[in-house]
Amino acid sequence: MAKKTSRFSIRESELATALEITCEQLDEIVNFFDSDPDDQWELRENYHFIYLIKNLKERLFSEEGAYAIAKYIDEKATKSIWKRITEFITKHNENIRNAFINQKIQENCTSLTFQNNLQFLSKNDVVNILCTNNARFDQAFYEIQKSDNAMIIHEDFDDIDGVRYYSLAGFYKLSRHLAKELTVKDRRGWCEAIEIVGKKTFKLIIDEQAARQNKINSAMNAAKKRDGSMCQITGKKHDKSNKAINITVHHIYSKEHYPHLAACQDNLITLTQEVHNEFHAWNGGSQKPCTVNHLIEFINKLYPDNYKVIYRLNQVKKTLNAQPPEQKAA
């Protein structure tokens, strides 16, 4: 049977610091526990501790192990350490819980969307991060709407493309409400910590997204300059005699579905806005994945005389397909 190790998370150095002793003093105490099998002091492997590196006798302790050592010191010392070790265990468990919240947010943030100068998350992602279910979530929303601090549409929540989204402010309002109303202590603690952990985690995510978007914008500007701001399919460009023409840059492999190619200039081609819209409509909508093969097929059917751009796209296909994945974002 596999050893259950999840409850052993306290390193020797952390425990020694919490007990205000040295690691050597902690070793002496552990050795004392092992010295007499008939006395009341014992530390059992797989209950009080497990070995991290057995030949070095480096251990990871459980809460029970930490409390057993603290009890021994408490009986031998003139000053009680019980309050101190309890505070250490509480803080240690909070740190572990917050690490899981951070992980939960990072696994459920793909819907993060910028709109009206606010960041919004889909209801599905919010429910997953709060570790609740739709029925309890809807109840919380209803209870808040009946209160004096009701959520405001376009500020705390909104409907985007027919899907309910919540701003980060609305998300934190929901977590604070659940932290007060849930009956299970651990669940209240989880929701109570959401805002503290969320503000740090979402800042990292949003900063990374902004840096990535800046990199994409820079690549798109460079691609437009490379193409002379001219549509590579029709040859049209915005000038004094064609003022109504808008020029845009198309991701040959869609950036949402091939994010490693989003800032790659080889994956970008300049088109008129009209041709860009025409391609995505032909391909089934702007949300549908697109590749170089889709664009080649589109041009062969709607602009069959443009051999030059077909040749270029076939070179793009060879170049991008030849790149190993770890180099495709270059």
Side-chain angles (χ1 to χ4, degrees), residues 155-201:
E155 292 185 14
D156 293 320
F157 69 98
D158 210 338
D159 291 329
I160 302 175
D161 296 331
V163 177
R164 174 59 59 88
Y165 277 67
Y166 292 86
S167 71
L168 295 186
F171 169 50
Y172 297 140
K173 191 176 286 187
L174 282 156
S175 67
R176 288 196 295 271
H177 178 81
L178 288 170
K180 291 181 181 177
E181 300 299 329
L182 291 174
T183 55
V184 179
K185 182 180 178 182
D186 288 347
R187 292 283 303 114
R188 289 200 308 272
W190 178 278
C191 291
E192 193 174 46
I194 286 283
E195 187 167 1
I196 297 170
V197 180
K199 286 183 175 177
K200 296 177 182 176
T201 303

